Amino acid sequence: MGTFSVPISIGDPQGENSIELDALVDTGASIISVPASLLINLGVKPAAQHRFQFAQGGTRNLDIGEARIRINGLEVGTLVAFNDEGTPVLLGALALEALFLGVDPVAQRLVPVDGLMMSPFMVD
């Protein structure tokens, strides 16, 4: 399938400080992962820790916090992981779902998708 990057803007929860960068689209990642120093410089604060499993094997606890992201003109608050320096920025599934974006792996781009309401109690 291959991998690809997309330009995103990420910033503090208040939307006062942000930076433009390229993020590797990773639907296998739960949330956005960013080197910790970038998040701290933007004013994003760790709020908790959570355990993450890594593709190479093993687990680690990482700090997590809330940031604002913008992709293709769409903006939302989402969880971010404070990762090690030198690691690539990963755009995970939670942010993609929050922005109603899907992945077109052939064209290597993000595409708008419909939201889902699959409850049997839908009102007509």
Side-chain angles (χ1 to χ4, degrees):
M1 172 164 95
T3 59
F4 63 97
S5 295
V6 296
I8 70 168
S9 174
I10 189 163
D12 65 326
Q14 298 77 26
E16 296 173 2
N17 301 307
S18 64
I19 187 172
E20 304 284 327
L21 42 83
D22 287 330
L24 185 64
V25 176
D26 185 356
T27 58
S30 299
I31 63 176
I32 294 176
S33 170
V34 179
S37 65
L38 284 175
L39 293 173
I40 291 167
N41 287 339
L42 290 170
V44 178
K45 294 180 174 55
Q49 279 199 340
H50 196 76
R51 188 176 69 216
F52 290 84
Q53 293 181 358
F54 288 82
Q56 304 86 345
T59 60
R60 284 193 10 233
N61 287 333
L62 295 177
D63 288 333
I64 58 172
E66 186 177 335
R68 292 209 62 80
I69 62 159
R70 187 172 46 253
I71 302 172
N72 297 340
L74 304 169
E75 188 171 333
V76 71
T78 190
L79 291 176
V80 293
F82 290 67
N83 209 342
D84 295 336
E85 300 308 307
T87 58
V89 175
L90 301 178
L91 177 58
L94 181 66
L96 291 171
E97 289 182 6
L99 291 167
F100 299 102
L101 292 172
V103 177
D104 178 347
V106 176
Q108 295 191 336
R109 63 188 180 113
L110 299 178
V111 295
V113 295
D114 291 340
L116 300 175
M117 291 286 179
M118 298 301 184
S119 171
F121 305 108
M122 186 172 147
V123 177
D124 290 330

